[in-house]
mmCIF file of all heavy atoms in Angstrom:
data_model
loop_
_atom_site.group_PDB
_atom_site.id
_atom_site.type_symbol
_atom_site.label_atom_id
_atom_site.label_comp_id
_atom_site.label_asym_id
_atom_site.label_seq_id
_atom_site.Cartn_x
_atom_site.Cartn_y
_atom_site.Cartn_z
ATOM 1 N N LEU A 487 3.384 43.243 -5.816
ATOM 2 C CA LEU A 487 4.585 43.937 -5.335
ATOM 3 C C LEU A 487 5.791 43.219 -5.900
ATOM 4 O O LEU A 487 5.878 41.994 -5.805
ATOM 5 C CB LEU A 487 4.649 43.923 -3.791
ATOM 6 C CG LEU A 487 4.046 45.142 -3.117
ATOM 7 C CD1 LEU A 487 2.527 44.984 -3.058
ATOM 8 C CD2 LEU A 487 4.614 45.343 -1.735
ATOM 9 N N GLU A 488 6.731 43.968 -6.462
ATOM 10 C CA GLU A 488 7.873 43.336 -7.089
ATOM 11 C C GLU A 488 9.168 43.978 -6.638
ATOM 12 O O GLU A 488 9.297 45.204 -6.618
ATOM 13 C CB GLU A 488 7.762 43.479 -8.602
ATOM 14 C CG GLU A 488 7.474 42.155 -9.292
ATOM 15 C CD GLU A 488 7.298 42.319 -10.777
ATOM 16 O OE1 GLU A 488 8.202 42.902 -11.426
ATOM 17 O OE2 GLU A 488 6.251 41.870 -11.284
ATOM 18 N N SER A 489 10.134 43.124 -6.318
ATOM 19 C CA SER A 489 11.456 43.638 -5.962
ATOM 20 C C SER A 489 12.183 44.054 -7.222
ATOM 21 O O SER A 489 12.147 43.343 -8.222
ATOM 22 C CB SER A 489 12.259 42.551 -5.248
ATOM 23 O OG SER A 489 13.618 42.890 -5.237
ATOM 24 N N VAL A 490 12.859 45.186 -7.174
ATOM 25 C CA VAL A 490 13.630 45.602 -8.355
ATOM 26 C C VAL A 490 14.905 44.779 -8.482
ATOM 27 O O VAL A 490 15.602 44.882 -9.468
ATOM 28 C CB VAL A 490 14.009 47.111 -8.300
ATOM 29 C CG1 VAL A 490 12.753 47.968 -8.232
ATOM 30 C CG2 VAL A 490 14.912 47.390 -7.107
ATOM 31 N N ALA A 491 15.208 43.995 -7.448
ATOM 32 C CA ALA A 491 16.466 43.249 -7.464
ATOM 33 C C ALA A 491 16.234 41.765 -7.670
ATOM 34 O O ALA A 491 17.069 40.940 -7.349
ATOM 35 C CB ALA A 491 17.208 43.461 -6.151
ATOM 36 N N ARG A 492 15.082 41.414 -8.212
ATOM 37 C CA ARG A 492 14.815 39.995 -8.373
ATOM 38 C C ARG A 492 14.273 39.702 -9.767
ATOM 39 O O ARG A 492 13.527 40.498 -10.328
ATOM 40 C CB ARG A 492 13.815 39.515 -7.326
ATOM 41 C CG ARG A 492 13.508 38.041 -7.483
ATOM 42 C CD ARG A 492 12.499 37.563 -6.489
ATOM 43 N NE ARG A 492 13.111 37.364 -5.188
ATOM 44 C CZ ARG A 492 12.482 37.570 -4.048
ATOM 45 N NH1 ARG A 492 11.283 38.025 -4.047
ATOM 46 N NH2 ARG A 492 13.079 37.332 -2.916
ATOM 47 N N GLY A 493 14.657 38.549 -10.301
ATOM 48 C CA GLY A 493 14.074 38.050 -11.533
ATOM 49 C C GLY A 493 14.445 38.853 -12.756
ATOM 50 O O GLY A 493 15.379 39.639 -12.759
ATOM 51 N N GLY A 494 13.692 38.655 -13.802
ATOM 52 C CA GLY A 494 14.037 39.245 -15.097
ATOM 53 C C GLY A 494 13.628 40.697 -15.211
ATOM 54 O O GLY A 494 13.963 41.359 -16.184
ATOM 55 N N LEU A 495 12.915 41.211 -14.252
ATOM 56 C CA LEU A 495 12.386 42.573 -14.280
ATOM 57 C C LEU A 495 11.703 42.857 -15.608
ATOM 58 O O LEU A 495 12.265 43.472 -16.510
ATOM 59 C CB LEU A 495 13.492 43.612 -14.036
ATOM 60 C CG LEU A 495 12.954 45.038 -13.829
ATOM 61 C CD1 LEU A 495 12.157 45.101 -12.546
ATOM 62 C CD2 LEU A 495 14.078 46.050 -13.789
ATOM 63 N N ASP A 496 10.486 42.406 -15.688
ATOM 64 C CA ASP A 496 9.699 42.623 -16.900
ATOM 65 C C ASP A 496 8.954 43.934 -16.739
ATOM 66 O O ASP A 496 7.977 44.018 -16.012
ATOM 67 C CB ASP A 496 8.731 41.452 -17.056
ATOM 68 C CG ASP A 496 7.864 41.623 -18.285
ATOM 69 O OD1 ASP A 496 8.145 42.547 -19.076
ATOM 70 O OD2 ASP A 496 6.920 40.834 -18.443
ATOM 71 N N LEU A 497 9.453 44.956 -17.390
ATOM 72 C CA LEU A 497 8.795 46.260 -17.234
ATOM 73 C C LEU A 497 7.569 46.377 -18.121
ATOM 74 O O LEU A 497 6.899 47.398 -18.122
ATOM 75 C CB LEU A 497 9.783 47.386 -17.502
ATOM 76 C CG LEU A 497 10.860 47.547 -16.429
ATOM 77 C CD1 LEU A 497 11.825 48.646 -16.793
ATOM 78 C CD2 LEU A 497 10.252 47.820 -15.075
ATOM 79 N N GLY A 498 7.302 45.332 -18.867
ATOM 80 C CA GLY A 498 6.069 45.236 -19.636
ATOM 81 C C GLY A 498 5.810 46.483 -20.475
ATOM 82 O O GLY A 498 6.638 46.917 -21.263
ATOM 83 N N GLY A 499 4.631 47.057 -20.218
ATOM 84 C CA GLY A 499 4.190 48.199 -21.003
ATOM 85 C C GLY A 499 5.079 49.427 -20.880
ATOM 86 O O GLY A 499 4.928 50.391 -21.629
ATOM 87 N N LEU A 500 5.996 49.401 -19.920
ATOM 88 C CA LEU A 500 6.862 50.569 -19.747
ATOM 89 C C LEU A 500 8.056 50.498 -20.676
ATOM 90 O O LEU A 500 8.791 51.457 -20.840
ATOM 91 C CB LEU A 500 7.368 50.632 -18.300
ATOM 92 C CG LEU A 500 6.286 50.870 -17.252
ATOM 93 C CD1 LEU A 500 6.824 50.573 -15.872
ATOM 94 C CD2 LEU A 500 5.799 52.308 -17.345
ATOM 95 N N GLU A 501 8.246 49.317 -21.251
ATOM 96 C CA GLU A 501 9.421 49.127 -22.073
ATOM 97 C C GLU A 501 9.191 49.712 -23.466
ATOM 98 O O GLU A 501 8.132 49.599 -24.047
ATOM 99 C CB GLU A 501 9.747 47.647 -22.191
ATOM 100 C CG GLU A 501 11.209 47.387 -22.129
ATOM 101 C CD GLU A 501 11.537 46.386 -21.048
ATOM 102 O OE1 GLU A 501 10.716 45.467 -20.829
ATOM 103 O OE2 GLU A 501 12.578 46.529 -20.413
ATOM 104 N N ASP A 502 10.249 50.253 -23.957
ATOM 105 C CA ASP A 502 10.183 50.872 -25.261
ATOM 106 C C ASP A 502 10.649 49.792 -26.250
ATOM 107 O O ASP A 502 11.699 49.190 -26.072
ATOM 108 C CB ASP A 502 11.108 52.091 -25.120
ATOM 109 C CG ASP A 502 11.443 52.750 -26.416
ATOM 110 O OD1 ASP A 502 11.415 52.065 -27.428
ATOM 111 O OD2 ASP A 502 11.734 53.955 -26.346
ATOM 112 N N GLU A 503 9.815 49.499 -27.268
ATOM 113 C CA GLU A 503 10.111 48.366 -28.168
ATOM 114 C C GLU A 503 11.479 48.489 -28.833
ATOM 115 O O GLU A 503 12.248 47.532 -28.905
ATOM 116 C CB GLU A 503 9.008 48.229 -29.228
ATOM 117 C CG GLU A 503 7.777 47.467 -28.748
ATOM 118 C CD GLU A 503 8.100 46.113 -28.101
ATOM 119 O OE1 GLU A 503 8.857 45.326 -28.701
ATOM 120 O OE2 GLU A 503 7.611 45.850 -26.973
ATOM 121 N N ALA A 504 11.774 49.698 -29.281
ATOM 122 C CA ALA A 504 13.045 49.919 -29.991
ATOM 123 C C ALA A 504 14.219 49.609 -29.055
ATOM 124 O O ALA A 504 15.205 48.958 -29.427
ATOM 125 C CB ALA A 504 13.124 51.352 -30.484
ATOM 126 N N GLU A 505 14.049 50.054 -27.822
ATOM 127 C CA GLU A 505 15.095 49.865 -26.829
ATOM 128 C C GLU A 505 15.307 48.373 -26.564
ATOM 129 O O GLU A 505 16.431 47.889 -26.416
ATOM 130 C CB GLU A 505 14.682 50.549 -25.538
ATOM 131 C CG GLU A 505 15.824 51.109 -24.739
ATOM 132 C CD GLU A 505 15.311 51.860 -23.514
ATOM 133 O OE1 GLU A 505 14.312 52.594 -23.663
ATOM 134 O OE2 GLU A 505 15.897 51.641 -22.455
#
Side-chain angles (χ1 to χ4, degrees):
L487 267 81
E488 250 177 53
S489 164
V490 300
R492 179 182 282 146
L495 189 66
D496 179 9
L497 290 178
L500 295 166
E501 220 126 35
D502 168 333
E503 277 309 311
E505 213 177 318

